[in-house]
């Protein structure tokens, strides 16, 4: 009923917060299924940061990944710093695996909180990067 393109370059998955964690998990567990990955304010601290190790060990990554985080994700500045550091660690891991600026967009938004308003504001740029 709804036409869909299932070729590489046309299939993506994404989410925010725990949804971003879920999207990253499935993209890493099913390499080649999703060619685009959108990660907004991923809560990478869950599972003792296991997804960072999984990303480091991944045999294949999506062709394009948008990773965004705010500098004020939490009301607690120390927690915000930890969440930001986790996202930056993921960015470093992905860069070390060969994702340059054409494949990885890392967006750090000053003062942005862990909230739909900020995710919505970043969505148009994310989609342009992911799908052109």
């Amino acid at each position: 009923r709804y036409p869909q393109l299932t070729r590489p370059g046309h299939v993506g998955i994404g989410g925010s917060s725990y949804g971003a964690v879920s999207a990253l998990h499935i993209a890493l567990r099913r390499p080649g299924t999703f060619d685009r990955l959108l990660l907004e304010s991923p809560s990478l601290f869950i599972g003792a940061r296991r997804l960072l190790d999984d990303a480091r060990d991944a045999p294949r990554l999506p062709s394009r990944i948008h990773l965004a985080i705010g500098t004020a994700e939490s009301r607690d500045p120390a927690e915000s710093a930890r969440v930001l550091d986790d996202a930056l660690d993921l960015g470093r891991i992905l860069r070390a695996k060969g994702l340059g600026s054409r494949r990885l967009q890392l967006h750090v938004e000053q003062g942005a909180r862990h909230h739909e308003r900020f995710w919505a504001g970043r969505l148009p740029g994310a989609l342009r990067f992911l799908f052109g």
Side-chain angles (χ1 to χ4, degrees):
R1 183 169 180 191
Y2 300 100
Q4 41 185 308
L5 298 172
T6 57
R7 300 185 311 270
H10 298 280
V11 181
I13 190 169
S16 55
S17 190
Y18 289 124
V21 167
S22 297
L24 177 58
H25 174 74
I26 194 69
L28 294 174
R29 295 295 243 166
R30 300 279 186 230
T33 302
F34 300 99
D35 201 48
R36 305 293 197 253
L37 180 59
L38 180 133
L39 304 172
E40 283 288 343
S41 299
S43 300
L44 296 167
F45 53 84
I46 66 169
R49 300 176 76 213
R50 171 69 190 257
L51 278 174
L52 296 176
D53 292 330
D54 291 348
R56 195 174 287 112
D57 297 337
R60 182 175 174 191
L61 295 167
S63 293
R64 289 194 178 193
I65 299 173
H66 168 83
L67 169 59
I69 193 81
T71 60
E73 291 282 327
S74 170
R75 292 182 181 173
D76 175 5
E79 185 177 331
S80 288
R82 282 191 300 274
V83 171
L84 175 60
D85 286 345
D86 287 346
L88 295 176
D89 283 349
L90 178 58
R92 281 189 283 275
I93 290 165
L94 297 174
R95 293 265 189 242
K97 292 188 73 67
L99 273 70
S101 60
R102 298 182 100 196
R103 292 187 59 201
L104 174 64
Q105 181 177 61
L106 176 57
H107 182 87
V108 177
E109 186 174 352
Q110 293 299 317
R113 294 190 325 260
H114 196 84
H115 191 274
E116 291 86 357
R117 178 171 56 107
F118 295 98
W119 303 330
R122 296 189 295 248
L123 185 61
L127 293 176
R128 278 191 299 275
F129 173 77
L130 292 172
F131 294 102

